[in-house]
Amino acid sequence: MSGVPASAAGGPRTAPVVRQAGLWNIANLLTMLRLVLVPAFVVLLMHDNGTDPVWRVFAWAAFAVAMITDVFDGHLARAYNLVTDFGKIADPIADKAIMGAALICLSVLGDLSWWVTGVILFRELGITLMRFWVIKHGVIPASRGGKIKTLAQGTAVGMYVLVLSGPLATFRWWVMAVAVALTVVTGLDYIRQAVVLRRAGLARERAERDTAR
């Protein structure tokens, strides 16, 4: 026995072991909290047919916490290597669930036009399905416009959850108008990226097949 490590002697090297993050980490717990907040938010907002301003403030607080945790759980998962299969699936579900619940409830209460809810939900669902459509060719990254859209949507919906009147009610209408415009524009941009990505992927596959012949 020479006492010389196998790696120094030219022997095979063992790949470093990467520890998989456990399910019960802070990022996943925040995602779970957001999922739990969805039914709580609906109950608070719909209490007494949405006519009680105090309960709507409670609903706004639940919605605000959900939106804040949406920012932090992804950041923590990436910064501290806490990405898990559960988080990859649950995080986007939680995002869509809280926003979808808020939009649908507001439309049911008559506070928000159904066409607004339809445009936003159609865009969010469509883009999610489109990401799966092109995922074998690559991943469409979240754009700055998409992040601004999310902020605008959250701000606008939060303002509609509260009972506002006068200039504030007019202002929230404009905030929602901006949110809807960003929803449409960024959705079209994602479609463009998906088409370009898919064409590039198909061209690469054809080139690989031609090379293999």
Side-chain angles (χ1 to χ4, degrees):
M1 187 172 181
S2 64
V4 180
S7 58
R13 298 187 179 187
T14 303
V17 177
V18 179
R19 186 174 64 87
Q20 176 70 31
L23 173 64
W24 300 102
N25 62 64
I26 183 62
N28 284 347
L29 289 175
L30 289 175
T31 300
M32 294 176 193
L33 172 62
R34 198 155 74 256
L35 288 169
V36 172
L37 282 173
V38 174
F41 165 79
V42 172
V43 170
L44 292 170
L45 180 59
M46 301 301 289
H47 177 76
D48 200 16
N49 292 322
T51 58
D52 192 326
V54 175
W55 281 78
R56 292 188 69 143
V57 170
F58 293 150
W60 176 87
F63 181 80
V65 171
M67 297 304 293
I68 291 172
T69 59
D70 178 29
V71 175
F72 282 104
D73 61 357
H75 173 74
L76 290 171
R78 291 186 296 270
Y80 296 99
N81 193 28
L82 300 176
V83 178
T84 63
D85 291 337
F86 170 82
K88 293 176 183 177
I89 297 173
D91 183 65
I93 291 176
D95 297 344
K96 302 298 184 292
I98 188 66
M99 183 60 68
L103 290 167
I104 291 172
C105 287
L106 288 171
S107 292
V108 168
L109 293 173
D111 295 333
L112 187 65
S113 298
W114 276 106
W115 74 264
V116 174
T117 295
V119 167
I120 295 177
L121 293 184
F122 178 79
R123 185 271 191 197
E124 298 300 332
L125 179 59
I127 296 302
T128 299
L129 294 175
M130 189 182 63
R131 286 179 184 273
F132 285 110
W133 178 54
V134 299
I135 195 168
K136 73 173 184 177
H137 302 297
V139 176
I140 303 175
S143 65
R144 178 172 297 182
K147 294 177 181 178
I148 296 174
K149 177 270 303 179
T150 300
L151 177 62
Q153 284 183 358
T155 302
V157 170
M159 294 182 73
Y160 269 86
V161 170
L162 294 171
V163 178
L164 301 178
S165 59
L168 285 176
T170 302
F171 178 67
R172 73 179 179 185
W173 186 92
W174 284 106
V175 175
M176 181 60 77
V178 171
V180 172
L182 288 171
T183 297
V184 174
V185 171
T186 57
L188 293 174
D189 183 59
Y190 277 127
I191 292 174
R192 179 192 62 79
Q193 291 185 58
V195 171
V196 171
L197 185 63
R198 188 169 188 272
R199 285 178 177 173
L202 293 175
R204 188 166 54 249
E205 290 176 358
R206 284 194 296 269
E208 291 174 353
R209 285 196 300 267
D210 292 340
T211 302
R213 291 176 182 173

